[in-house]
Amino acid sequence: MRRSSTLLLSLAVVGGLTGTLPATASAQGRQDIPQSHPLWANAQAKVADTAPAAKLSFRVYLNQRDNAGAEALAQAVSDPDSKTYRQYLSPDQVRDRFAASDATVNAVKSWLTGNGFSIGEVPSNRAYVEATGTAGQTQQAFDVKLAKYKVKGQTLRAADKNLSVPANLANDVLGVVGVDQATNLFKPDHATGSGTPSDVAPGPGFRNARPCSAYYGEKIDTTDPAYNGKQLPYAPCGYTPAQLRSAYGVDKVGADGKGTTIAIVDAFASPTIYADASTYAKKNDPQHPLKQSQFKQHVFPANPVLEPPDQCDAAGWYGEETLDVEAAHGLAPGADILYVGGESCEDNALDVALNYVIAGHKADIVSNSYGDTGEDIPADEVKVFNQISLQAVLEGIGVYFSSGDNGDEVARLGTPSPDFSASAPWITAVGGTSIAIGKDGKRIFETGWETSKSSLAGGVYGPANYTSGSGGGTSRLFEQPFYQKGVVPDALSTKNQTGHKKGRVVPDISAIGDPNTGFLVGQTQTFPDGAYYDQYRIGGTSLASPVFAGIMAVADSFDHFHHGFINPVIYKLTSRTAAISDVKHVDAAVERVDYANSVDASGGLLTSVRTLDYQGLTIHTTPGYDDVTGLGTPNGLLFLLLV
């Protein structure tokens, strides 16, 4: 059994959480939860004290028993060279073998009720105990002071120091999530290419201007000045499901994902999701309607006692849900879709939504399209997330996360970093590409998604500036996992590390992401003349994740088994077969026309060149594994046969 008196994330098999500190006694009979105090919660950033009567809700996550044994078993069931490969456990088996005991749950409940908290849900896998109370009760229970701090444009609640718990419970507590609001910094990873999340409905409407192309190269701009001596093709209007199925070679394999359930986890729930997604399928993929029997959703109701979430951008999350559902169904039209919406945009709510899927094995595949900017997040959240994702591996559930839409994050952070949760070791991080699909539905080329923009003004193109791109880089949190050894170049795995250490590198694999060669989606939006359904092009690794999840659902039905955690398999495949197409740098660009007011030509048009696979970053698309596209992209039938 893991000794959580130090509350470390050991990850003995796949590598550890680097830089963690030992627990310290904060007062007689108490013990600190290491790194449970966000670094941004400092005196300089403090805005005000939290009112003692303010209501809040949090979850005390519990250590599982025999963590080292769980990790060893997770590797064994996912490694094709293991004798117990794919011998997954049921949720009941995981609970009986590894979950916290009833006695542990009751002890934590007793402590919380003794401090005046009301107790909420305890999930079937006994992962956490939920509690609701006041800020004053929380301060007393965890021996801290709560205040509001200014961070990244938001005002968020946090404690002034590490949380602490009674020493007799320290071995049982994995972490506490929700006392601070650090996970409000999580955002959906989608991109319209305009750079403004408010473009995503059901907020203000957004349309793509004409001219644009039905397929790559259909229309060439011959009216505007040449760019670097070339007349460029207009950007695609947005690829359809049939075009993507053809490009990735899953359109003629006799399998469509039937028998597999894809869960999609986001915040909130769009009130028009089924109407929009079914209308979209009828308009763009009429041979593959989204049947009511294929779609279900489970939405956690907002907690009425809590403060309203800050800067959650619900409209952006509605757009995220729409993209995820339509892309997953588009690639795997026979699969069932389960949408699970968190009660808020905070990651403690998203963790609960993810745990709901895993604890009850509600799906075989989970696609998640959100993440933090970098890895500067509370250690509690990291430990909690890894324990949930570890259970998914044990049960044979594949969990996919978008790798992010801001490259190496240097522009926002000043230093290179991948994004969490994509950098976690027990999930598959999906990066993004720019893809050219021809008239025949075949790939003309596919290159790394790192895009720059050169605006046309007065007949002259301005300088190229980076806009968005596939998230990637080397983790400072996680050591190199077993499946990356011998495949990821040392030059990448040793970045951001000291001494001879090697870190987890992101992404693992990739699919379409660039909004300038993006996917057509349909959604109810609010336009100047009213709210109604319309269509627009969108991208991001939010697109790449459900697209790859859809491909894996097709692989499930094609191979007649559920693949579970795919990383050990794909890292072995890349060295032996052509099942994964290596993504290499291609010099290419598209001409893009946008409405200045986002909806029509009345406000004028904006013309720009979008250069694909821009080279001005610290991550680059190269032959072999790279930190923009990972191993590459799935190579059609060969991928389905060998994965």
Side-chain angles (χ1 to χ4, degrees):
M1 180 176 182
R2 182 177 60 174
R3 295 291 298 171
S4 57
S5 58
T6 58
L7 291 173
L8 295 177
L9 177 65
S10 63
L11 285 177
V13 177
V14 295
L17 173 65
T18 60
T20 49
L21 302 175
T24 57
S26 59
Q28 186 174 5
R30 301 186 66 85
Q31 193 161 289
D32 276 7
I33 302 174
Q35 298 180 324
S36 54
H37 169 241
L39 296 178
W40 47 260
N42 53 56
Q44 291 73 27
K46 184 176 176 180
V47 175
D49 290 327
T50 298
K55 295 287 187 178
L56 59 87
S57 182
F58 58 85
R59 294 174 179 92
V60 178
Y61 279 84
L62 306 176
N63 273 313
Q64 62 184 5
R65 293 168 286 165
D66 189 15
N67 187 72
E71 291 170 343
L73 183 57
Q75 177 174 346
V77 300
S78 58
D79 187 342
D81 293 335
S82 166
K83 293 180 179 179
T84 55
Y85 180 45
R86 295 201 189 108
Q87 294 182 20
Y88 305 127
L89 302 185
S90 69
D92 287 348
Q93 288 173 320
V94 173
R95 182 192 63 231
D96 294 344
R97 186 166 173 179
F98 297 112
S101 67
D102 286 333
T104 294
V105 171
N106 290 334
V108 172
K109 280 183 174 181
S110 178
W111 168 62
L112 291 170
T113 55
N115 279 276
F117 296 102
S118 61
I119 304 300
E121 177 187 13
V122 176
S124 61
N125 61 349
R126 299 195 286 265
Y128 59 81
V129 176
E130 184 177 40
T132 299
T134 67
Q137 291 168 333
T138 304
Q139 291 177 142
Q140 180 176 346
F142 293 102
D143 189 28
V144 294
K145 296 292 184 182
L146 297 178
K148 294 285 189 176
Y149 298 88
K150 198 74 174 177
V151 53
K152 296 180 181 179
Q154 300 188 48
T155 301
L156 303 178
R157 182 185 65 239
D160 63 338
K161 60 181 180 178
N162 280 343
L163 307 180
S164 68
V165 296
N168 66 312
L169 296 178
N171 286 352
D172 301 319
V173 175
L174 175 67
V176 180
V177 176
V179 168
D180 64 50
Q181 294 175 311
T183 54
N184 250 31
L185 301 172
F186 276 63
K187 297 294 182 186
D189 284 328
H190 58 218
T192 61
S194 65
T196 53
S198 61
D199 284 348
V200 183
F206 178 79
R207 294 189 182 104
N208 297 112
R210 268 47 179 176
C212 57
S213 298
Y215 54 86
Y216 191 89
E218 181 204 20
K219 298 177 182 178
I220 306 297
D221 181 8
T222 59
T223 59
D224 293 311
Y227 185 78
N228 291 338
K230 296 180 181 179
Q231 299 295 148
L232 298 177
Y234 283 109
C237 303
Y239 294 127
T240 64
Q243 286 175 298
L244 291 188
R245 290 196 301 268
S246 174
Y248 287 113
V250 297
D251 57 337
K252 295 181 176 66
V253 298
D256 62 2
K258 186 176 182 180
T260 293
T261 298
I262 302 172
I264 292 171
V265 175
D266 287 316
F268 312 116
S270 167
T272 60
I273 181 58
Y274 179 71
D276 289 342
S278 58
T279 298
Y280 175 83
K282 290 175 185 177
K283 283 180 172 289
N284 302 287
D285 204 15
Q287 301 302 314
H288 301 287
L290 177 62
K291 302 172 185 176
Q292 182 69 70
S293 61
Q294 286 181 275
F295 180 79
K296 294 182 176 65
Q297 64 177 357
H298 179 91
V299 181
F300 289 86
N303 190 327
V305 306
L306 301 184
E307 299 173 274
D310 296 336
Q311 292 100 19
C312 261
D313 183 24
W317 284 98
Y318 292 170
E320 181 58 56
E321 177 185 357
T322 305
L323 167 60
D324 292 351
V325 170
E326 292 176 359
H329 177 70
L331 270 293
D336 290 339
I337 305 291
L338 169 65
Y339 176 73
V340 182
E343 69 178 8
S344 77
C345 68
E346 295 185 30
D347 202 57
N348 60 316
L350 296 170
D351 283 344
V352 169
L354 180 59
N355 188 70
Y356 166 81
V357 178
I358 305 306
H361 202 132
K362 303 292 186 181
D364 312 293
I365 290 169
V366 189
S367 179
N368 310 264
S369 297
Y370 53 87
D372 188 64
T373 301
E375 296 182 313
D376 182 15
I377 55 175
D380 285 4
E381 169 57 28
V382 177
K383 292 179 287 187
V384 163
F385 178 83
N386 276 280
Q387 187 161 292
I388 296 170
S389 56
L390 178 62
Q391 180 172 347
V393 179
L394 293 171
E395 293 181 18
I397 301 172
V399 179
Y400 301 93
F401 265 84
S402 56
S403 70
D405 292 351
N406 295 282
D408 53 16
E409 295 290 6
V410 166
R412 297 199 289 185
L413 298 177
T415 56
S417 175
D419 292 342
F420 182 83
S421 303
S423 62
W426 291 113
I427 62 93
T428 300
V430 186
T433 64
S434 303
I435 186 170
I437 302 176
K439 184 176 182 180
D440 60 358
K442 305 301 181 185
R443 278 183 282 190
I444 300 172
F445 66 79
E446 193 166 12
T447 191
W449 170 39
E450 300 294 347
T451 302
S452 69
K453 175 183 178 181
S454 302
S455 297
L456 179 63
V460 177
Y461 289 104
N465 294 304
Y466 174 76
T467 60
S468 57
S470 175
T474 306
S475 174
R476 290 178 171 85
L477 283 178
F478 302 104
E479 295 175 2
Q480 184 179 64
F482 69 93
Y483 48 81
Q484 289 194 326
K485 293 179 179 178
V487 179
V488 175
D490 288 350
L492 295 180
S493 62
T494 56
K495 278 187 178 181
N496 306 333
Q497 303 293 311
T498 57
H500 299 288
K501 293 181 179 179
K502 296 181 181 180
R504 158 93 158 111
V505 187
V506 172
D508 298 303
I509 200 160
S510 294
I512 176 174
D514 187 351
N516 302 288
T517 64
F519 181 59
L520 187 69
V521 298
Q523 186 180 5
T524 299
Q525 305 175 69
T526 303
F527 294 97
D529 57 343
Y532 48 85
Y533 175 94
D534 206 344
Q535 301 189 152
Y536 58 98
R537 179 187 60 231
I538 195 169
T541 52
S542 278
L543 169 60
S545 182
V547 163
F548 187 73
I551 292 171
M552 288 309 305
V554 173
D556 278 7
S557 59
F558 182 81
D559 294 326
H560 304 291
F561 59 80
H562 298 303
H563 288 76
F565 182 49
I566 200 70
N567 288 18
V569 173
I570 60 176
Y571 277 89
K572 291 181 186 296
L573 274 182
T574 193
S575 62
R576 298 198 300 242
T577 74
I580 297 174
S581 299
D582 187 19
V583 176
K584 300 176 183 178
H585 172 69
V586 174
D587 285 317
V590 295
E591 199 87 14
R592 175 167 162 170
V593 181
D594 289 292
Y595 294 127
N597 65 9
S598 298
V599 295
D600 58 36
S602 64
L605 298 175
L606 304 174
T607 301
S608 61
V609 166
R610 307 300 175 104
T611 301
L612 311 183
D613 204 23
Y614 175 64
Q615 295 293 287
L617 305 175
T618 61
I619 59 177
H620 301 286
T621 308
T622 63
Y625 179 93
D626 61 64
D627 47 7
V628 175
T629 66
L631 297 168
T633 58
N635 188 14
L637 180 60
L638 194 57
F639 179 81
L640 300 181
L641 284 169
L642 297 177
V643 76

